[in-house]
Every structure is written in structure tokens, then in C-alpha cells.
Amino acid sequence: GSNGTELWKSDGSSSGTSLVKDIREGTKDSSPEYTVEFDNMLYFSANDGIHGHELWKSDGTISGTVMVKDIVNGSGGGNPRHLIVMNNTLYFFSFTSWDADLWKSDGTSEGTTMIKSFNSNPGIDEVLAVGNTLYFSAEEDNEGAELWTSDGTTNGTMMVKDIKSGLSSSSPSYLAMVGST
């Protein structure tokens, strides 16, 4: 009643369950989502009511729960989703109404950088890490949704194959790892 949907922690008992931080103060929701553990911290997307949904991290304390980076200035938010850890680096996609961008982060604002911007909002549904490579479905202006790969660098982020050429999409989904494939 006094807080919206916020970040809580629990040791499994009633007395050990408590609010971590009221990120969006008052009764409105900060709506934390897309959680992943990285470098002994919890990373997630949340809305503080000023910046929109942005990348946050928490060590489980009020003072240790902070926004990592304001990806999109203003209240629009970068809407980070699909957080995944590969090779001691956090990767995620930032979604706006005009594009989807692949980002990586070392957990600091300065170390959170964009790898590649996709010119259209491809509606990325999943990201899979296999060894040292990320796989995901994305689309560019002149291709439909196809299988893409990234090694965490701009030059190493590319389409695997234009399975259904032209503006048509093969729309790869339900990505799964079998062994190292």
C-alpha cells in the first residue's frame, strides 16, 4: 500500500523478507524486471519515474542500489532487456521506438557502451550465449529478421546467414544450445 512494485529480497523467511529500495518513491511502480546476476550484483531494468526504464544494479542495500547508466536522456528510458552474461561482461539490448541496440557493460557507467545499433526495432525475443558468442534474431533495413551473432565487438557483430533473402524473414526463434553448437 505504501510502495509500488519494487525490488525486494528474501532469505525464505517472513522476518528475512524486506524492501531493498523504493526506486520510484511513493505508490508508483519502478517495475524491476529482466534480472541477472553479474559480478556479485543483481542487474535489472527499472523506472525511477525520472529517467524511464534504465539499467540498474543492486548489492541488496539501499545505498548499493543505483542506476548504472542513463542510456536515453529524459524520461523515455533505454528499456534494457535480455540481460545475459558472457565472458565476464554483461550484454543487453536497449529498445526505443526507433531502434534496438546491443550494449555491453562492465558494471560502470563509463564501461557501458553500445556495440551495434539496429536501424529498425526488430522485436528481439531471446539471446543465447554459446561459448564466446551471442546469438539472436534481428533485422536491418534491407533484410528481414535473421540469425545474428556477436563476439562483443562492433566488427564481430554480423548476420550469420540471410536464410530467407530480401525483406522476408526466416524469424529464427527458440534458440537452444546442444553441446557447443
Side-chain angles (χ1 to χ4, degrees):
S2 60
N3 305 101
T5 304
E6 296 294 343
L7 183 65
W8 285 67
K9 65 180 177 181
S10 179
D11 66 5
S13 69
S14 179
S15 62
T17 302
S18 61
L19 177 69
V20 173
K21 183 174 184 171
D22 191 3
I23 294 170
R24 187 168 185 175
E25 295 181 3
T27 59
K28 293 193 177 181
D29 303 331
S30 71
S31 303
E33 58 187 349
Y34 302 104
T35 59
V36 69
E37 187 273 332
F38 169 59
D39 201 22
N40 296 317
M41 301 282 280
L42 180 71
Y43 285 77
F44 56 97
S45 172
N47 182 350
D48 65 1
I50 299 167
H51 302 96
H53 272 90
E54 294 292 358
L55 183 65
W56 285 70
K57 67 180 177 181
S58 178
D59 65 1
T61 66
I62 292 172
S63 62
T65 303
V66 296
M67 184 170 38
V68 175
K69 186 170 184 96
D70 187 8
I71 295 167
V72 175
N73 292 328
S75 62
N79 301 302
R81 298 180 192 161
H82 308 299
L83 284 66
I84 190 168
V85 177
M86 181 181 77
N87 295 333
N88 297 316
T89 303
L90 174 67
Y91 293 90
F92 62 94
F93 280 87
S94 170
F95 290 85
T96 62
S97 60
W98 56 90
D99 64 10
D101 304 326
L102 176 60
W103 288 72
K104 66 180 176 181
S105 179
D106 65 1
T108 66
S109 180
E110 303 79 28
T112 303
T113 58
M114 186 175 56
I115 298 170
K116 178 167 176 54
S117 180
F118 292 90
N119 298 330
S120 58
N121 194 332
I124 294 163
D125 291 325
E126 58 188 302
V127 181
L128 178 69
V130 178
N132 300 323
T133 307
L134 294 176
Y135 291 93
F136 52 94
S137 176
E139 62 184 84
E140 282 279 58
D141 287 338
N142 297 321
E143 295 110 11
E146 298 295 346
L147 184 63
W148 282 72
T149 184
S150 180
D151 64 1
T153 65
T154 301
N155 289 338
T157 302
M158 61 193 87
M159 185 187 305
V160 173
K161 183 172 182 164
D162 190 1
I163 297 168
K164 198 168 184 181
S165 63
L167 293 175
S168 298
S169 299
S170 68
S171 302
S173 56
Y174 305 108
L175 304 179
M177 180 172 69
V178 178
S180 62
T181 303

